[in-house]
Amino acid sequence: MVSRAQKHFCPQLSTKPHSRTGHTVFVTGAAGFIGAHASVALKRRGDGVVGLDNFNQYYDITLKKSRLSKLLDRAGVFVVEGDINDGVLLRKLFGLVQFTHVLHLAAQAGVRYAMVNPNSYIRSNIDGFVNLLEVVKSSIAQPAIISASSSSVYGLNSKVPFSEKDRTDQPASLYAATKKAGEEIAHAYNHIYSLSITGLRFFTVYGPWGRPDMAYFFFTKDILNRKQISIFEGPNHGTIARDFTYIDDIVNGCLSAIDTAKKSTGTGGKKKGEAQFRIINLGNTSPVSVHKLVNILEKLLKVKEKKVVLMPRNGVVPITHANISLARVELGYKRTVDLEMGLKKFVKWYLDYYDAKKNSSW
């Protein structure tokens, strides 16, 4: 099933690599924030790319369709409209294309939405992931898998910065619990079927074409609409801070993970030897308080709004802070964009995008 906007593309053209690496990558969640940026980056450097996205309505589907038309279509990325829980569809795709890598980014995101629709997290983050792994492990030439995890797995861990060696058995939200479950499921498939798997723990990704449910996004909207800003604090007026990581840095980390992933050693569901298994943080290493985030946005937007301080909602952890030592060694990873520079790029995109939408409706 191919999305209407993609019918004029030829999948053979999209999957044919034009680079020395010869990678052919299957990207799940391709119309999502990270998925769209990563798919375009892969295509532009010469890799073959096929995307999959179910275009669900967790947030404004118009934004997802815009990523499709403005980013993916223009880069020549072929996107199939479908769900990772559809095993028949996945087997058809893997039968048509011999993928060398899977970049698995499809997931039900967000901490607070789990209190409204918990089953969506189980269906996407656990059931969907297992379904994908089942298809991959049954392949004769098993592709290496790079899968998105989250800094949320560190949960109630109070030791900072967060290291991959730290405990991750105290999730503070259902979202975090499903992401941790995904890491454990990945380990099991690595051990049993020799799948090469790299899990990337993303730390608060932001930037142009981002998700409207993220704080920096709806703060921008509220500031422009002259709405009161709600800033959450921890117990005893403690600071809530996030290790905001710009989208380009995350994409570079994803591409490096693909390039350094070793081949799976199994075939057709049979284990042939030990395979690579990695869990790696991708962050900025410089946590910024929510107060400072709002102050930067106000400066960029040239608007000041009244702010009210509230206690955090359930599932919100006080701070995220990445130790990226392993990412430097394994991936050659480094952050290149600080928060003020990144927010400047985001604000420019936001004003351009929503002004264009407003003008097109006149």
Side-chain angles (χ1 to χ4, degrees), residues 31-325:
F33 172 35
I34 301 173
H37 282 279
S39 296
V40 169
L42 287 164
K43 189 67 177 175
R44 284 179 176 167
R45 76 173 191 173
D47 289 343
V49 185
V50 170
L52 178 76
D53 204 288
N54 67 357
F55 294 90
N56 68 36
Q57 298 189 16
Y58 168 59
Y59 61 80
D60 183 14
I61 196 170
T62 303
L63 180 57
K64 297 178 184 181
K65 293 292 186 180
S66 292
R67 293 189 192 120
L68 180 66
S69 61
K70 303 293 186 183
L71 298 178
L72 296 160
D73 278 6
R74 291 180 181 180
V77 176
F78 185 83
V79 177
V80 176
E81 185 169 353
D83 196 290
I84 55 173
N85 285 285
D86 187 343
V88 174
L89 173 61
L90 291 184
R91 284 189 290 273
K92 284 182 179 179
L93 288 171
F94 277 72
L96 288 170
V97 181
Q98 187 170 321
F99 297 107
T100 61
H101 297 77
V102 174
L103 179 57
H104 177 51
L105 301 171
Q108 177 57 63
V111 170
R112 293 177 293 275
Y113 185 62
M115 300 174 196
V116 178
N117 188 2
N119 288 334
S120 66
Y121 291 78
I122 306 302
R123 175 173 169 75
S124 181
N125 301 358
I126 296 179
D127 293 348
F129 189 31
V130 170
N131 191 55
L132 175 65
L133 290 169
E134 279 292 303
V135 173
V136 173
K137 65 97 169 172
S138 298
S139 302
I140 299 302
Q142 298 171 340
I145 300 170
I146 290 79
S147 180
S149 187
S150 167
S151 62
S152 67
V153 301
Y154 291 107
L156 301 179
N157 180 17
S158 59
K159 172 188 166 293
V160 291
F162 297 152
S163 165
E164 294 88 349
K165 296 178 181 179
D166 293 340
R167 64 185 299 180
T168 53
D169 59 352
Q170 296 178 301
S173 66
L174 178 61
Y175 168 69
T178 60
K179 280 299 185 179
K180 177 58 180 175
E183 291 183 357
E184 300 300 329
I185 290 167
H187 186 276
Y189 273 79
N190 164 264
H191 174 70
I192 299 170
Y193 301 111
S194 300
L195 293 181
S196 170
I197 302 179
T198 300
L200 301 176
R201 291 174 177 168
F202 298 152
F203 281 69
T204 316
V205 190
Y206 75 101
W209 298 99
R211 283 182 12 223
D213 63 319
M214 298 290 285
Y216 72 94
F217 201 114
F218 60 73
F219 281 160
T220 299
K221 179 180 179 180
D222 288 347
I223 289 170
L224 288 171
N225 290 331
R226 305 300 198 270
K227 288 186 177 180
Q228 182 173 272
I229 304 297
S230 295
I231 296 179
F232 295 92
E233 288 188 347
N236 302 315
H237 301 288
T239 298
I240 287 184
R242 292 290 177 267
D243 201 348
F244 295 99
T245 313
Y246 190 66
I247 182 61
D248 289 0
D249 291 336
I250 290 292
V251 168
N252 288 338
C254 290
L255 269 57
S256 294
I258 289 172
D259 293 340
T260 58
K262 295 180 180 178
K263 292 183 178 180
S264 295
T265 58
T267 179
K270 297 179 180 179
K271 183 172 183 174
K272 297 292 185 179
E274 298 302 316
Q276 182 183 51
F277 184 80
R278 303 181 291 179
I279 298 291
I280 304 174
N281 289 339
L282 290 185
N284 188 59
T285 74
S286 300
V288 173
S289 71
V290 178
H291 284 282
K292 184 172 181 180
L293 169 71
V294 172
N295 289 340
I296 293 172
L297 286 172
E298 287 179 330
K299 183 174 74 171
L300 291 170
L301 296 167
K302 298 180 173 59
V303 178
K304 277 197 172 290
E305 276 306 308
K306 183 179 179 181
K307 293 174 276 293
V308 58
V309 174
L310 303 170
M311 291 296 287
R313 297 166 177 155
N314 288 333
V316 177
V317 297
I319 187 171
T320 61
H321 183 184
N323 178 329
I324 59 170
S325 300

